[in-house]
Amino acid sequence: MISLFGIFTGPIVLLIWLICIPLLLKRIGLIKGTFKNGEVVKGAIIENRFWRGRWTVHYAFKLNDKVHQTRNYIIAFKLPFKKGEPADIVVDPKKPKVAFLKEIYQ
């Protein structure tokens, strides 16, 4: 007897991979491009939140005399950052919303 679960597993898994792989490659390209062409600026961790198995790290930095805030989602048991600590941030000067914590991605 053929299981219905077995029939749908193959095509569904293939469809998920066809959607996820391009998104993953785009994200990797965004991070690599930002590290290659971006600026390293000093910033500070302004908030850490843990929810549903992941951390949300909010940080602020100053670029071109303007303060920007953004965040990264991190899956980790223990964060290397505490609220109020300084951090090096790699930022795309053309799109300051695209910024990454250097310590995590280097």
Side-chain angles (χ1 to χ4, degrees):
M1 181 175 178
I2 297 176
S3 166
L4 285 177
F5 182 73
I7 292 172
F8 292 112
T9 303
I12 290 173
V13 169
L14 181 62
L15 182 63
I16 290 171
W17 276 105
L18 289 174
I19 293 170
C20 290
I21 287 179
L23 293 175
L24 180 64
L25 293 175
K26 183 179 178 181
R27 176 76 176 171
I28 291 170
L30 177 69
I31 294 168
K32 281 185 171 185
T34 303
F35 270 77
K36 183 179 178 183
N37 304 318
E39 291 182 30
V40 177
V41 296
K42 295 290 183 187
I45 306 298
I46 55 176
E47 184 180 3
N48 292 331
R49 263 193 256 155
F50 187 77
W51 190 66
R52 290 191 178 184
R54 71 176 183 199
W55 287 96
T56 305
V57 180
H58 295 261
Y59 46 94
F61 57 93
K62 194 171 188 179
L63 181 69
N64 300 329
D65 297 325
K66 187 176 178 187
V67 176
H68 299 275
Q69 290 185 19
T70 190
R71 66 179 181 249
N72 276 155
Y73 298 105
I74 302 166
I75 298 173
F77 291 112
K78 185 177 178 186
L79 280 179
F81 310 107
K82 291 181 181 162
K83 185 177 177 179
E85 283 187 349
D88 288 332
I89 299 164
V90 182
V91 60
D92 182 344
K94 296 175 187 169
K95 295 182 255 176
K97 201 72 172 157
V98 178
F100 301 98
L101 293 163
K102 187 176 180 182
E103 187 174 332
I104 293 174
Y105 293 98
Q106 60 180 343

